């Protein structure tokens, strides 16, 4: 046994050694043969990087081809928050970066870098821009010293440029960093990807509002893809493959830049000039905001769309800080510059609604053009007397529009209520719907509001939605007074300025309701190698429907609207004194809408020239008083501009009677 033990131990050791060698060879065989393709891919991935380069967005042009939104190159310094966590002394790095930026003419504090890194608008897994528009010298300095500034990057970005500053900001919109939701909408999820020939990265930009958002698929270019080899320090060794970015398509608007700029300036100047004054009834003119819309009644094209207050889209280039965003949006609603009041502002239209009531009465046979009612300055509805600023005397429908007789329309509204068994319960509402009120116009801009045309059912549902304590002091019943208030555009009637401009466009063109449009054509980039500047597609007018407007209905309405500025008794005769109506006849209506506890909203709606209309215009100035005093002068200025007449100094324009 003693002699056999060493032999046995050697035998066992031999078996172990052979087993180990076998295992080793098996492992080597597995790695070299079975797992080689997988590890080859991983090794390739470790030394090969794919870099996506955002393509320049398409430009935005006005109707005459002038560039309103362009692109420029910005040199950006970034810090990757994820990589920064691995830096042993990140505080020293941030301090050194701030000193370097400052030395190259970009004054920067450490607190500024930290605030940027903590800004919630940025994805913490993506590089965060800490300095934009840096000089070329700094760009090269940091590029050559990547090892001294770990987690710091530099890149060239194509960003938006706005040669006309704030002009048309609401209509154009702005671009910003894509959100997780937007990325999922465009790309799908890893489990359910969506094909996209213009793929987005988590740090891509996307249109957030206005035309930038509505035409995102056209404006966005195809990103470039560069495949590079990197060394162990992640430095680029060579470029393996490169597909250059393809710019997006240009968008040509229907907007005339000259009219747009004039509309914005005239609106801003008028609000500034009356703010702080008093209306005729002694109320403070806060005049905080307003809007102007100009349409082409022949096709629904938007010629101008102004909203005040506004903002500068330049502030969104490379990302607006949360602090600045809060500053802009933190005040009262009337001060919020991001509300496009042309499509989102909902206002009682006041007397600008009277042509709708007149249409309802004429089209239902409630009256004809000769029917007369004696306006004595008030209307007795039985249980309530409705007042009026003045007594117009005997008026027919045309005269009622010229002098804006409230009493005539009180009478019509009351008759529609009393005779609803004959004309239906919704005679006025149906007329409003026919002209496109109470529903979005369909303009290709996001967040358009529908306004409101109240009905007995709407009133009941509103009441039913209230909590019991509010139901106890409310009333779901539709009364004659509801009809009477509605007849003059008060009560719960709400319209947007765009809707009202479309109503007057339909009156101008004989009853065609167009879907308002802001884009005329989509064009190829001027750098397109095959068809530079070629037309991709033309946006054709969209007819929604036709409102029956035979002469016996349209003529008395147009006659009344022409008298508003041409007849010495017309409510806007004074503010249009001196305007050459023989050369450019105007049909229009003033509106003064009551707002509880505030000065009235000032409205003016018009189209011209009457016999061959080219423009439909609406202006509203919040808390500004009579329509003839505040809104009419703004529209007069626009009409002078488009008709080529001498521009009258606004201080020389008198107020009217409503």
């Amino acid at each position: 046994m003693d002699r056999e033990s060493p032999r046995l131990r050697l035998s066992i050791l031999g078996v172990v050694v052979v087993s180990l060698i076998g295992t080793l060879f098996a492992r080597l065989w597995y790695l070299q043969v079975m797992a080689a393709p997988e590890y080859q891919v991983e090794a390739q991935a470790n030394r090969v990087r794919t870099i996506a380069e955002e393509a320049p967005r398409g430009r935005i042009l006005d109707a005459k081809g002038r560039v309103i939104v362009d692109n420029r190159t910005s040199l950006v310094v970034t810090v990757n928050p994820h990589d920064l966590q691995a830096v042993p002394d990140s505080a020293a790095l941030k301090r050194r970066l701030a000193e370097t930026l400052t030395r190259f003419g970009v004054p920067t504090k450490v607190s500024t870098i930290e605030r940027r890194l903590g800004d919630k608008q940025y994805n913490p897994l993506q590089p965060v821009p800490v300095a934009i528009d840096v000089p070329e010298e700094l760009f090269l300095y940091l590029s050559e010293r990547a090892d001294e500034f770990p987690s710091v990057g530099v890149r060239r970005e194509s960003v938006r440029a706005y040669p006309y500053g704030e002009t048309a900001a609401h209509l154009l919109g702005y671009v910003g960093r894509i959100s997780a939701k937007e990325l999922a909408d465009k790309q799908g999820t890893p489990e359910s990807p969506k094909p996209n020939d213009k793929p987005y990265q988590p740090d891509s930009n996307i249109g957030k509002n206005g035309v930038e958002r509505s035409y995102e698929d056209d404006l966005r270019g195809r990103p470039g893809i560069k495949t590079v080899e990197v060394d162990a320090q992640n430095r680029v060794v060579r470029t393996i493959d490169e597909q250059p970015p393809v710019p997006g398509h240009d968008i040509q608007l229907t907007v005339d830049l000259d009219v747009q700029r004039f509309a914005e300036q005239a609106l801003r100047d008028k609000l500034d000039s009356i703010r702080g004054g008093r209306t005729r009834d002694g109320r403070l003119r806060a005049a905080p905001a307003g809007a102007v819309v100009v349409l082409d009644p022949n096709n629904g094209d938007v010629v101008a769309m102004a909203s005040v207050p506004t903002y500068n889209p330049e502030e969104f280039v490379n990302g607006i800080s949360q602090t600045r965003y809060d500053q802009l949006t933190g005040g009262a609603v009337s001060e919020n510059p991001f509300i496009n009041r042309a499509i989102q502002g909902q206002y009682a239209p006041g007397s600008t609604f009277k042509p709708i009531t007149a249409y309802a009465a004429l089209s239902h046979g409630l009256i004809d053009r000769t029917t007369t009612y004696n306006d004595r300055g008030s209307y007795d509805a039985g249980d309530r007397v409705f007042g009026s600023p003045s007594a117009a005397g005997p008026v027919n429908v045309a005269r009622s529009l010229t002098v804006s007789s409230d009493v005539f329309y009180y009478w019509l509204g009351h008759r529609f209520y009393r005779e609803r068994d004959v004309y239906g319960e919704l005679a006025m509402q149906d007329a409003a719907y026919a002209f496109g009120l109470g529903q979005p116009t369909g303009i290709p801009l996001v967040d358009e509001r529908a306004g409101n045309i109240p009905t007995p059912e709407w009133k009941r549902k509103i009441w039913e939605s209230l909590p019991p304590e509010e139901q106890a002091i409310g009333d779901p019943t539709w009364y004659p007074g509801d009809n009477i208030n509605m007849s003059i555009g008060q009560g719960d009637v709400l319209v947007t300025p765009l809707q009202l401009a479309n109503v007057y466009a339909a009156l101008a063109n004989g009853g065609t309701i167009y879907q308002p449009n802001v884009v005329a054509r989509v064009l190829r980039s001027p750098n397109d190698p095959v068809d530079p500047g070629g037309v991709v597609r033309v946006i054709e007018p969209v007819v929604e429907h036709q409102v029956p407007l035979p002469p016996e209905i349209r003529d008395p309405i147009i006659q009344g609207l022409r008298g508003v500025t041409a007849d010495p008794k017309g409510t806007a005769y004074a503010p249009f004194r001196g305007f050459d109506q023989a050369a450019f006849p105007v049909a229009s209506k003033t509106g003064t809408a009551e707002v509880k506890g505030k000065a009235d909203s000032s409205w003016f709606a018009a189209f011209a020239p009457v016999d061959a209309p080219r423009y439909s215009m609406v202006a509203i100035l919040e808390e500004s008083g009579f329509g003839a005093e505040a809104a009419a002068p703004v529209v007069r200025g626009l009409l002078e501009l488009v008709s080529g007449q001498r521009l009258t100094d606004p201080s020389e324009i008198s107020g009217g009677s409503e």
Side-chain angles (χ1 to χ4, degrees):
M1 182 68 185
D2 289 339
R3 281 202 300 264
E4 292 179 354
S5 293
R7 186 178 301 166
L8 178 60
R9 286 197 291 273
L10 284 173
S11 298
I12 294 172
L13 180 61
V15 170
V16 171
V17 169
V18 170
S19 298
L20 289 173
I21 290 174
T23 302
L24 178 61
F25 275 100
R27 179 61 178 169
L28 286 173
W29 176 83
Y30 173 79
L31 291 174
Q32 292 293 323
V33 179
M34 298 301 291
E38 178 183 347
Y39 287 114
Q40 189 174 20
V41 170
E42 291 186 9
Q44 186 79 357
N46 281 335
R47 65 184 180 87
V48 175
R49 296 283 184 271
T50 299
I51 302 170
E53 180 183 353
E54 287 288 284
R57 288 176 72 82
R59 303 169 305 165
I60 300 178
L61 321 174
D62 89 328
K64 296 176 180 174
R66 291 168 288 192
V67 179
I68 308 178
V69 181
D70 207 341
N71 299 303
R72 63 178 175 84
T73 299
S74 175
L75 305 182
V76 181
V77 177
T78 66
V79 173
N80 189 317
H82 181 264
D83 295 345
L84 183 63
Q85 293 177 1
V87 176
D89 191 350
S90 60
L93 173 65
K94 286 184 278 187
R95 188 167 56 252
R96 193 163 65 252
L97 177 60
E99 292 170 353
T100 303
L101 290 167
T102 303
R103 191 168 72 252
F104 277 86
V106 186
T108 306
K109 297 179 180 178
V110 172
S111 60
T112 304
I113 296 174
E114 292 176 336
R115 189 164 58 251
R116 279 273 184 168
L117 292 172
D119 196 322
K120 295 180 180 177
Q121 72 164 312
Y122 298 112
N123 185 338
L125 298 178
Q126 295 297 321
V128 174
V130 296
I132 61 174
D133 292 333
V134 302
E136 185 79 26
E137 294 78 10
L138 174 59
F139 185 86
L140 295 174
Y141 181 87
L142 291 175
S143 299
E144 295 168 351
R145 292 167 174 78
D147 53 338
E148 298 177 26
F149 293 90
S151 78
V152 177
V154 289
R155 67 189 183 202
R156 297 178 188 274
E157 283 192 359
S158 177
V159 298
R160 282 312 213 188
Y162 302 90
Y164 299 96
E166 298 178 349
T167 301
H170 294 95
L171 195 149
L172 299 172
Y174 57 88
V175 298
R177 202 70 70 191
I178 194 169
S179 68
K181 181 179 183 307
E182 290 166 333
L183 186 61
D185 289 342
K186 292 291 185 181
Q187 305 269 97
T189 62
E191 298 77 22
S192 180
K194 294 180 180 177
N196 190 338
D197 64 346
K198 299 178 180 179
Y200 292 82
Q201 302 296 319
D203 61 345
S204 294
N205 283 327
I206 191 171
K208 295 287 186 179
N209 207 342
V211 170
E212 293 275 20
R213 176 168 167 177
S214 299
Y215 286 83
E216 167 69 17
D217 292 344
D218 292 299
L219 289 165
R220 180 169 174 76
R222 183 179 296 117
I225 302 295
K226 182 188 288 186
T227 306
V228 298
E229 183 178 338
V230 298
D231 63 13
Q233 280 71 46
N234 211 30
R235 291 175 297 200
V236 176
V237 176
R238 66 186 178 99
T239 299
I240 299 172
D241 185 38
E242 183 172 6
Q243 299 175 25
V246 179
H249 293 321
D250 288 350
I251 295 292
Q252 184 166 26
L253 304 177
T254 60
V255 170
D256 185 319
L257 183 60
D258 297 325
V259 182
Q260 177 71 30
R261 297 178 73 183
F262 187 95
E264 293 184 12
Q265 191 61 51
L267 178 60
R268 191 179 298 112
D269 288 347
K270 193 61 184 179
L271 289 167
D272 290 344
S273 69
I274 63 176
R275 186 175 301 125
R278 295 283 172 180
T279 62
R280 295 182 192 180
D281 59 1
R283 297 192 179 193
L284 175 67
R285 280 176 161 154
V292 171
V293 176
V294 181
L295 297 180
D296 182 340
N298 300 296
N299 51 27
D301 283 355
V302 174
V303 181
M305 178 181 287
S307 181
V308 173
T310 186
Y311 64 94
N312 191 339
E314 190 79 37
E315 294 200 57
F316 288 87
V317 173
N318 281 312
I320 189 172
S321 70
Q322 188 64 48
T323 302
R324 177 58 179 152
Y325 187 82
D326 291 343
Q327 286 176 349
L328 290 170
T329 58
V333 173
S334 61
E335 299 171 349
N336 189 327
F338 294 113
I339 297 174
N340 182 355
R341 287 166 170 78
I343 63 171
Q344 295 175 303
Q346 301 181 106
Y347 308 92
S351 294
T352 59
F353 187 82
K354 287 174 180 173
I356 300 291
T357 305
Y359 172 81
L362 289 165
S363 62
H364 280 84
L366 183 71
I367 60 171
D368 62 29
R369 63 188 305 162
T370 65
T371 305
T372 300
Y373 187 78
N374 190 9
D375 177 356
R376 295 187 175 88
S378 63
Y379 181 79
D380 188 349
D383 58 347
R384 180 180 169 186
V385 176
F386 290 81
S388 175
S390 61
V395 293
N396 59 19
V397 64
R399 193 65 181 168
S400 73
L401 291 168
T402 296
V403 302
S404 200
S405 166
D406 283 348
V407 170
F408 184 83
Y409 290 91
Y410 293 155
W411 172 63
L412 293 182
H414 197 196
R415 280 193 62 191
F416 270 127
Y417 180 85
R418 289 183 303 183
E419 301 173 46
R420 56 188 182 280
D421 291 342
V422 178
Y423 301 108
E425 195 176 44
L426 303 177
M428 289 190 295
Q429 289 89 342
D430 287 342
Y433 297 147
F435 278 91
L437 300 182
Q439 55 206 299
T441 65
I443 189 172
L445 295 174
V446 296
D447 295 331
E448 183 190 12
R449 300 293 186 264
N452 184 53
I453 299 300
T455 64
E457 182 182 7
W458 170 87
K459 186 176 181 181
R460 180 180 54 77
K461 287 185 175 177
I462 290 292
W463 180 84
E464 289 174 349
S465 68
L466 298 174
E469 61 272 19
E470 292 186 33
Q471 284 187 352
I473 59 176
D475 189 342
T477 307
W478 185 267
Y479 291 104
D482 293 310
N483 252 36
I484 292 172
N485 280 327
M486 183 176 177
S487 71
I488 61 165
Q490 290 285 170
D492 295 304
V493 179
L494 296 174
V495 303
T496 69
L498 178 64
Q499 286 178 323
L500 196 62
N502 220 23
V503 168
Y504 280 75
L507 290 171
N509 65 32
T512 302
I513 300 291
Y514 286 100
Q515 180 186 89
N517 181 38
V518 294
V519 172
R521 301 188 300 173
V522 179
L523 306 172
R524 299 189 191 285
S525 164
N527 298 319
D528 188 283
V530 179
D531 185 18
V535 177
V536 177
R537 69 178 189 276
V538 175
I539 311 301
E540 300 290 349
V542 176
V543 175
E544 292 288 352
H545 59 269
Q546 193 75 26
V547 181
L549 272 178
E552 60 271 24
I553 295 176
R554 182 174 182 270
D555 289 355
I557 293 176
I558 303 304
Q559 180 188 349
L561 297 179
R562 290 190 67 163
V564 171
T565 56
D567 189 303
K569 294 291 186 182
T571 53
Y573 178 77
F576 272 76
R577 188 179 287 119
F579 183 89
D580 187 355
Q581 301 216 41
F584 210 74
V586 176
S588 63
K589 187 71 194 77
T590 52
T592 305
E594 296 178 1
V595 182
K596 188 176 181 180
K598 299 178 180 177
D600 299 330
S601 296
S602 176
W603 283 98
F604 195 73
F607 64 84
V610 173
D611 296 329
R614 305 202 317 262
Y615 301 97
S616 170
M617 301 182 177
V618 161
I620 178 171
L621 285 76
E622 297 178 13
E623 301 180 54
S624 297
F626 281 13
E629 291 180 324
V634 174
V635 174
R636 172 177 173 158
L638 279 163
L639 289 169
E640 288 176 339
L641 176 75
V642 299
S643 65
Q645 297 187 32
R646 181 185 70 85
L647 297 178
T648 304
D649 189 321
S651 64
E652 299 175 6
I653 300 176
S654 304
S657 56
E658 189 196 44

